[in-house]
Amino acid sequence: IYMLSGTLHYKINGKEFTATSGDSYLIQPGQQHEEFAEDGFISVSYVKCNFYKNDGELAVLTDDYAKQRILNCSKEIKNIFEKIFQEVHAKQLGYWQVAESLVIELLCLYLRKINPSIDDDVNYEFGVSDNKPNYGNRIINDAVDIMKNQGIF
C-alpha cells in the first residue's frame, strides 16, 4: 500500500502503526490487518500479490512488523506504483506481463530495504514452478512449458 495523501492508522496482528502521504507498507500472508482513516479522505495505491520461496511456500519477508513499512518512500517506489496502475488501467497488449514485472521489481525493492545485506543466493524465486500456483500468465507459462519439453531447464 502506498499512501498518496492523508493519514491512515493500521494494525497488523494487533500492533498499531501510522502511515502518511509518501509512506508505504506491506501486509504479509496470514497477517490480520485493519485500516482506518484519522479524519477526512485518504488516497492510496493498493497492489495485492504473493511472493514465493523456491520450495513453493509463501514467503514472509520479515517477522519485524516495523520493517514492513517504509517511511517517506523513494521516488522509485512511488513511480513503480504509478506504472502498475497505468498498465492495468490502459489494458494494452502485454499489460499483464508488464504489470507483473513491475510487481516483482517492487517486491525486490521492499526486500532490499528490509534486509540491505541480502544477496542473490536467497531462497526466493519468481515465475512458474510445479509447486506454485499458476497465475494465468499464459504467454510465460507456454514459454516455460516449451523450454522444459526441449530440455532447456
Side-chain angles (χ1 to χ4, degrees), residues 26-102:
L26 62 98
I27 306 298
Q28 299 186 100
Q31 290 183 328
Q32 302 247 337
H33 61 94
E34 61 181 296
E35 291 85 9
F36 46 99
E38 188 173 86
D39 290 323
F41 294 99
I42 61 164
S43 181
V44 300
S45 288
Y46 175 84
V47 174
K48 184 175 181 178
C49 62
N50 288 317
F51 193 45
Y52 291 86
K53 296 186 290 183
N54 286 339
D55 61 7
E57 296 295 317
L58 283 170
V60 174
L61 303 183
T62 180
D63 293 324
D64 184 346
Y65 298 146
K67 286 186 174 182
Q68 289 181 221
R69 65 183 175 153
I70 300 173
L71 302 176
N72 195 20
C73 286
S74 68
K75 186 136 179 83
E76 184 177 20
I77 288 175
K78 179 184 177 188
N79 288 343
I80 292 172
F81 271 102
E82 289 173 357
K83 287 179 186 176
I84 291 168
F85 282 94
Q86 288 170 357
E87 286 294 330
V88 170
H89 290 297
K91 293 191 179 188
Q92 294 178 338
L93 176 66
Y95 79 93
W96 187 251
Q97 288 77 18
V98 173
E100 189 174 69
S101 70
L102 289 165

